[in-house]
Amino acid sequence: MSYYNFKRIQVVPSANDFVDIILSKTQRKTPTVVHPNYSIGRIRQFYMRKVKFAQEAFNEKFQALLQAFPKLDDIHPFYSDLMNVLYDKDHYKLALGQLNTARHLVEQIAKDYVRLLKFGDSLYRCKQLKRAALGRMATLVKGLKDSLAYLEQVRQHLARLPSIDPNTRTLLVCGYPNVGKSSFMNKLTRADVEVQPYAFTTKSLFVGHMDYEYVRWQVIDTPGILDHPLEDRNTIEMQSITALAHLKAAILYFIDLSEQCGYSIKEQVSLFHSIRPLFANKPVLLVVNKIDVRRYEDLHGDEKQLVDSCLTDSVTLVQQSCWNDDGVMAVRNTACQKLLQMRVEVKMRSNKLNDVLSRLNVAQPQARDDKARPAFIPEKAKNRVKYDAADPNRPKLERDLEVEQGGPGVYSVDLKKKYLLANPDWMYDAIPEIMDGKNVADFVDPEIEERLAALELEEERLAAEGFYDSAPEEDEDSDMEDLKEAAEGLRVKRALIQQAAQIKKGKNRPAVPLGVQARSKTFVDLQSSLREVDMDPDVQSIRGRMAGQKRRRSAPAEMDADGDVEMSGGVASSSKPRAHSATRDRTNLGMSTKRQRTEAEAIKKRAEKQLGIMAKAGESDRHIHIKKPKHLFTGKRGLGTSDRR
């Protein structure tokens, strides 16, 4: 496997978090209730289970970390050397080795204390042995603080590394700093590599992808390299050296003949010769960049000899300029073609070629008889005159018709001239409009326009003669007026009833029961209600009904000349039960002005606000609501998930 996804490595917790995770898991996943009256065997088994579970949890966590991090001996040499450059191979192996050693030590501690727990003679002694076992495990893990912190830093950096496939088709760009490598990368791919006018803008490997010949290619931009011994190169330069040494790619060595990069041609050529051993068995292109400033043909004397010393049979000279895109695609095509040719040659020299050819069978067509079957070409196609734009008698094209009739935007293409109809005269007829299976034209009067024009003239004549002038209003019928007045009275009465209902509904006080309301009504109210519904109250029947009732203490009723009974005082007094006696509003007692009542109301609302927030019924409410539901926090859970935690 040559493609790695280092982003899948799980987070490495710190030493304290590591211990907290394991101890919390042990507490949640094992029983927590034990009593001194249990048998000693049950008590031993209780604490032995805790020690074994903690050991298994530590072992599982260590094993997951060891398997997640890549092993330098098992991965591709490119990634192995790259990790050695970035993280120091010895330090990396030492950190993983310490985790593996800690895993074995935790396992040994668990075995020793399980053996001692078998001889525990009391609950207290078993508990102390369990506590000592978990304490030693935690102390051992806390000693790995530096190693765990280092591995977490390595994990974060590995996740940021670009995904490079060492075996796919690759273009590798290298050279001195500030010679135009990143600009070339941005031109070919959609990668957004930072470009600045100073050295070492690119400090790590950058990967971009492009398509050529319907296949995917990767382009790698390497940091700049300086011409000094290998031992003096820093981490940034060693990333480029690692990529050049291990990737089977087409090498594009960039050189700046204008020397605007800050390095002379001699220094750039010297670097090419110093790293030339890394180009073995790889196609190499010497890319002359910035030709908008200075081209290869402009060199003279020693400078041209220096550049020519780099050119051999395996090195091809190409020129380009990223400033005006001159030659960029030509450089890309040349590099891709040379790499494809080299890959084909390598496969042809491999031992697998014969095995593949033995499984291939190329079918060759065989003649079934001696009869000749030449290709058929229609005579019209043979005699067709070739189109010549300079011929005045050439057939007109749509483009010619467009030019003759006003040009684009004016000319409208005639789509009907190619219709194949039984009668050519039908070609430009209006297409009928069909609705519900019927032709709309069959239902249109052909003289509708003339009739409409005559109607408009007649309307204008009548308007000019004053036919449509407003006539005096006739007296409305008296019955209609009475009906309108009655309707208006009903609307007013309905509005009053609705208004009274709204006022009654909006009262912020207890409603008076209907029974109490009935007892408080007087004889005058009864007569008024009867008259409102156009009923004449029968005084004799009312008097007879009242005579049969028990006499109450009240003022004597008087009857006027019309027979209406009138109570003295206007309201009949009646004795009311004590339970329905009116109560006084005590909220306004002791307050003489409206301002005092307003301030008192504001103080009352502020005092009740906190009670409302705490959901209190009043000042005397001392109830404490349940903070932890007992059914969720009591006892141990059985089998199931721990998602809610």
Side-chain angles (χ1 to χ4, degrees), residues 271-292:
L271 174 63
F272 180 86
H273 289 296
S274 63
I275 63 176
R276 192 164 192 167
L278 301 176
F279 302 159
N281 301 323
K282 300 174 186 176
V284 182
L285 274 74
L286 184 64
V287 181
V288 177
N289 197 17
K290 304 181 183 179
I291 59 174
D292 56 311

Short mmCIF file of all heavy atoms in Angstrom, two decimals, residues 271-292:
data_model
loop_
_atom_site.label_atom_id
_atom_site.label_comp_id
_atom_site.label_asym_id
_atom_site.label_seq_id
_atom_site.Cartn_x
_atom_site.Cartn_y
_atom_site.Cartn_z
N LEU A 271 24.26 23.75 -8.48
CA LEU A 271 23.28 22.97 -7.72
C LEU A 271 22.74 21.82 -8.57
O LEU A 271 22.54 20.71 -8.06
CB LEU A 271 22.13 23.88 -7.28
CG LEU A 271 20.95 23.19 -6.60
CD1 LEU A 271 21.39 22.54 -5.29
CD2 LEU A 271 19.81 24.18 -6.33
N PHE A 272 22.52 22.06 -9.87
CA PHE A 272 22.03 21.00 -10.75
C PHE A 272 23.00 19.82 -10.77
O PHE A 272 22.58 18.66 -10.67
CB PHE A 272 21.82 21.56 -12.16
CG PHE A 272 21.32 20.54 -13.15
CD1 PHE A 272 19.96 20.29 -13.28
CD2 PHE A 272 22.20 19.82 -13.95
CE1 PHE A 272 19.50 19.36 -14.19
CE2 PHE A 272 21.75 18.89 -14.86
CZ PHE A 272 20.39 18.66 -14.98
N HIS A 273 24.29 20.11 -10.86
CA HIS A 273 25.27 19.02 -10.90
C HIS A 273 25.39 18.33 -9.55
O HIS A 273 25.64 17.11 -9.49
CB HIS A 273 26.64 19.56 -11.33
CG HIS A 273 26.69 19.95 -12.78
ND1 HIS A 273 26.53 19.06 -13.81
CD2 HIS A 273 26.88 21.17 -13.38
CE1 HIS A 273 26.61 19.68 -14.98
NE2 HIS A 273 26.83 20.97 -14.74
N SER A 274 25.19 19.04 -8.45
CA SER A 274 25.34 18.43 -7.13
C SER A 274 24.20 17.47 -6.81
O SER A 274 24.40 16.46 -6.12
CB SER A 274 25.43 19.51 -6.05
OG SER A 274 24.22 20.25 -5.99
N ILE A 275 23.00 17.76 -7.29
CA ILE A 275 21.88 16.86 -7.01
C ILE A 275 21.56 15.96 -8.20
O ILE A 275 20.57 15.24 -8.18
CB ILE A 275 20.61 17.67 -6.63
CG1 ILE A 275 20.16 18.55 -7.79
CG2 ILE A 275 20.85 18.49 -5.39
CD1 ILE A 275 18.86 19.30 -7.52
N ARG A 276 22.44 15.96 -9.21
CA ARG A 276 22.18 15.16 -10.41
C ARG A 276 22.11 13.67 -10.12
O ARG A 276 21.34 12.95 -10.77
CB ARG A 276 23.25 15.44 -11.45
CG ARG A 276 22.93 14.88 -12.82
CD ARG A 276 23.81 15.51 -13.88
NE ARG A 276 23.35 15.20 -15.22
CZ ARG A 276 23.76 15.81 -16.31
NH1 ARG A 276 24.67 16.79 -16.21
NH2 ARG A 276 23.30 15.49 -17.49
N PRO A 277 22.84 13.12 -9.15
CA PRO A 277 22.68 11.68 -8.86
C PRO A 277 21.26 11.29 -8.46
O PRO A 277 20.87 10.12 -8.62
CB PRO A 277 23.67 11.45 -7.71
CG PRO A 277 24.72 12.51 -7.90
CD PRO A 277 23.98 13.70 -8.42
N LEU A 278 20.48 12.24 -7.95
CA LEU A 278 19.09 11.93 -7.58
C LEU A 278 18.18 11.82 -8.79
O LEU A 278 17.05 11.37 -8.66
CB LEU A 278 18.55 13.01 -6.63
CG LEU A 278 19.32 13.22 -5.33
CD1 LEU A 278 18.72 14.38 -4.55
CD2 LEU A 278 19.28 11.95 -4.47
N PHE A 279 18.67 12.23 -9.98
CA PHE A 279 17.86 12.19 -11.19
C PHE A 279 17.99 10.89 -11.95
O PHE A 279 17.47 10.77 -13.06
CB PHE A 279 18.24 13.35 -12.13
CG PHE A 279 18.10 14.71 -11.52
CD1 PHE A 279 18.79 15.79 -12.04
CD2 PHE A 279 17.27 14.92 -10.43
CE1 PHE A 279 18.66 17.05 -11.49
CE2 PHE A 279 17.15 16.18 -9.87
CZ PHE A 279 17.84 17.25 -10.39
N ALA A 280 18.67 9.91 -11.39
CA ALA A 280 18.94 8.67 -12.13
C ALA A 280 17.64 7.95 -12.47
O ALA A 280 16.72 7.85 -11.64
CB ALA A 280 19.84 7.76 -11.29
N ASN A 281 17.57 7.45 -13.72
CA ASN A 281 16.43 6.68 -14.21
C ASN A 281 15.12 7.49 -14.18
O ASN A 281 14.04 6.93 -13.99
CB ASN A 281 16.25 5.38 -13.43
CG ASN A 281 17.48 4.49 -13.50
OD1 ASN A 281 18.15 4.42 -14.54
ND2 ASN A 281 17.80 3.83 -12.40
N LYS A 282 15.23 8.79 -14.36
CA LYS A 282 14.05 9.65 -14.38
C LYS A 282 14.18 10.64 -15.53
O LYS A 282 15.29 11.13 -15.80
CB LYS A 282 13.90 10.42 -13.06
CG LYS A 282 13.75 9.54 -11.84
CD LYS A 282 13.77 10.38 -10.57
CE LYS A 282 13.77 9.48 -9.35
NZ LYS A 282 13.89 10.23 -8.07
N PRO A 283 13.08 10.97 -16.21
CA PRO A 283 13.15 12.00 -17.24
C PRO A 283 13.36 13.38 -16.60
O PRO A 283 12.69 13.73 -15.62
CB PRO A 283 11.80 11.91 -17.94
CG PRO A 283 10.90 11.27 -16.95
CD PRO A 283 11.74 10.36 -16.12
N VAL A 284 14.30 14.16 -17.16
CA VAL A 284 14.67 15.45 -16.58
C VAL A 284 14.46 16.53 -17.63
O VAL A 284 14.85 16.37 -18.79
CB VAL A 284 16.13 15.45 -16.09
CG1 VAL A 284 16.47 16.79 -15.44
CG2 VAL A 284 16.37 14.30 -15.12
N LEU A 285 13.84 17.64 -17.21
CA LEU A 285 13.66 18.80 -18.06
C LEU A 285 14.32 20.00 -17.38
O LEU A 285 14.07 20.27 -16.21
CB LEU A 285 12.18 19.12 -18.29
CG LEU A 285 11.47 18.37 -19.44
CD1 LEU A 285 11.23 16.92 -19.05
CD2 LEU A 285 10.15 19.06 -19.77
N LEU A 286 15.19 20.67 -18.14
CA LEU A 286 15.80 21.91 -17.67
C LEU A 286 14.91 23.05 -18.16
O LEU A 286 14.91 23.41 -19.33
CB LEU A 286 17.22 22.05 -18.21
CG LEU A 286 18.01 23.27 -17.71
CD1 LEU A 286 18.24 23.19 -16.21
CD2 LEU A 286 19.34 23.39 -18.45
N VAL A 287 14.13 23.62 -17.25
CA VAL A 287 13.12 24.61 -17.59
C VAL A 287 13.72 26.00 -17.40
O VAL A 287 14.08 26.39 -16.28
CB VAL A 287 11.86 24.46 -16.72
CG1 VAL A 287 10.81 25.49 -17.13
CG2 VAL A 287 11.30 23.05 -16.83
N VAL A 288 13.87 26.74 -18.50
CA VAL A 288 14.36 28.12 -18.45
C VAL A 288 13.14 29.01 -18.25
O VAL A 288 12.31 29.17 -19.16
CB VAL A 288 15.12 28.49 -19.73
CG1 VAL A 288 15.55 29.95 -19.68
CG2 VAL A 288 16.33 27.57 -19.91
N ASN A 289 13.01 29.59 -17.08
CA ASN A 289 11.85 30.41 -16.73
C ASN A 289 12.18 31.90 -16.94
O ASN A 289 13.34 32.29 -17.08
CB ASN A 289 11.44 30.14 -15.28
CG ASN A 289 10.04 30.63 -14.99
OD1 ASN A 289 9.25 30.87 -15.90
ND2 ASN A 289 9.72 30.79 -13.73
N LYS A 290 11.14 32.71 -16.94
CA LYS A 290 11.23 34.17 -17.08
C LYS A 290 11.87 34.56 -18.41
O LYS A 290 12.75 35.43 -18.48
CB LYS A 290 12.02 34.77 -15.91
CG LYS A 290 11.45 34.43 -14.54
CD LYS A 290 12.25 35.07 -13.41
CE LYS A 290 11.70 34.65 -12.05
NZ LYS A 290 12.46 35.22 -10.92
N ILE A 291 11.41 33.91 -19.50
CA ILE A 291 11.97 34.24 -20.82
C ILE A 291 11.45 35.59 -21.31
O ILE A 291 11.94 36.10 -22.32
CB ILE A 291 11.64 33.14 -21.84
CG1 ILE A 291 10.12 32.97 -21.97
CG2 ILE A 291 12.28 31.83 -21.44
CD1 ILE A 291 9.71 32.00 -23.05
N ASP A 292 10.44 36.15 -20.62
CA ASP A 292 10.02 37.49 -20.99
C ASP A 292 11.07 38.52 -20.65
O ASP A 292 11.05 39.65 -21.16
CB ASP A 292 8.70 37.83 -20.28
CG ASP A 292 8.82 37.68 -18.78
OD1 ASP A 292 9.32 36.62 -18.32
OD2 ASP A 292 8.43 38.60 -18.06
#
